[in-house]
Amino acid sequence: MKPVIDLAVDTLRDPQGTAQRIIGWQLDRATLYTALFAVAAINAIFAATPLILFPGALDDATRQALPILSLLERPLILFFFIAGGLVVMVQALFWAGRAMGGHGEMADMLVLLVWLQALRATAQIAVIVLNLAVPTLAGLFALCVVVVTFWLLLHFISAALRFGSLFQAFGLLVAVVAGLFLGMMLILTLMGVSAGGL
């Protein structure tokens, strides 16, 4: 485990340099997609674990306010949601990045987002442990994880597409997320799902 831990620490210290090292592994597509489905499964399991440990954490009022949280009660559906979302995000970031003048290969984006998801899975373990030991710190730590994940994502996008700055990566991310959201809303509208249902 030491090389993995060292790589995680290096990722936090020097995201760009570590991203280039990971890209340099030159892993094949089959290996990368196997890793993607593995980290999606692990993330789904850990995301659903708090509801197993704390059965009353998701009440009816929360389900009505945020229906998407009900996915936490269905780990298999959550797995497909995470895995599918990752595949779509990789494709969208790569092709939109190319349109914005980026370079690099699809595998570069894929390997970096898979590694980011692996780090998030590790962070979820820490959140679960903190929930059991010091619940008040768990929420603060989870917020820190969100901020660090966003910061790493910008660096990884920049490294995968050979962008010159994080501002380009940020602009690309905003454009892709907005495009995916509008596309999802259009599909749901065509399917007859109301905005309230979403």
Side-chain angles (χ1 to χ4, degrees):
M1 289 296 294
K2 189 175 185 305
V4 178
I5 294 172
D6 289 344
L7 186 65
V9 172
D10 289 343
T11 300
L12 296 174
R13 286 178 180 168
D14 180 19
Q16 288 277 355
T18 307
Q20 295 301 334
R21 281 168 54 196
I22 294 171
I23 290 172
W25 294 347
Q26 295 294 308
L27 300 175
D28 61 88
R29 288 282 179 90
T31 301
L32 290 174
Y33 277 105
T34 301
L36 182 148
F37 292 127
V39 297
I42 293 169
N43 271 286
I45 291 169
F46 289 148
T49 298
L51 291 185
I52 297 172
L53 297 175
F54 310 101
L58 194 60
D59 55 20
D60 291 336
T62 306
R63 285 191 189 90
Q64 290 178 356
L66 295 168
I68 198 168
L69 290 182
S70 63
L71 286 175
L72 298 176
E73 298 175 314
R74 301 172 176 84
L76 184 59
I77 297 176
L78 183 60
F79 159 72
F80 286 114
F81 188 82
I82 294 172
L86 271 173
V87 172
V88 170
M89 184 61 78
V90 167
Q91 296 284 337
L93 286 172
F94 176 74
W95 292 112
R98 278 291 186 90
M100 290 177 61
H103 303 283
E105 302 296 329
M106 178 82 69
D108 300 344
M109 184 69 71
L110 183 55
V111 71
L112 292 178
L113 289 193
V114 167
W115 173 240
L116 185 61
Q117 287 301 310
L119 292 176
R120 283 192 69 247
T122 306
Q124 281 185 326
I125 297 174
V127 170
I128 292 170
V129 172
L130 279 174
N131 257 320
L132 294 172
V134 191
T136 52
L137 288 180
L140 181 60
F141 181 76
L143 178 61
C144 291
V145 169
V146 171
V147 173
V148 172
T149 299
F150 180 74
W151 178 67
L152 290 176
L153 179 59
L154 291 181
H155 281 282
F156 283 2
I157 291 171
S158 179
L161 294 169
R162 316 296 192 267
F163 281 159
S165 72
L166 294 183
F167 289 108
Q168 281 182 285
F170 179 75
L172 171 63
L173 185 59
V174 169
V176 166
V177 169
L180 290 177
F181 178 77
L182 291 174
M184 181 179 66
M185 290 299 296
L186 177 61
I187 291 171
L188 290 174
T189 302
L190 293 175
M191 290 172 60
V193 179
S194 67
L198 178 63

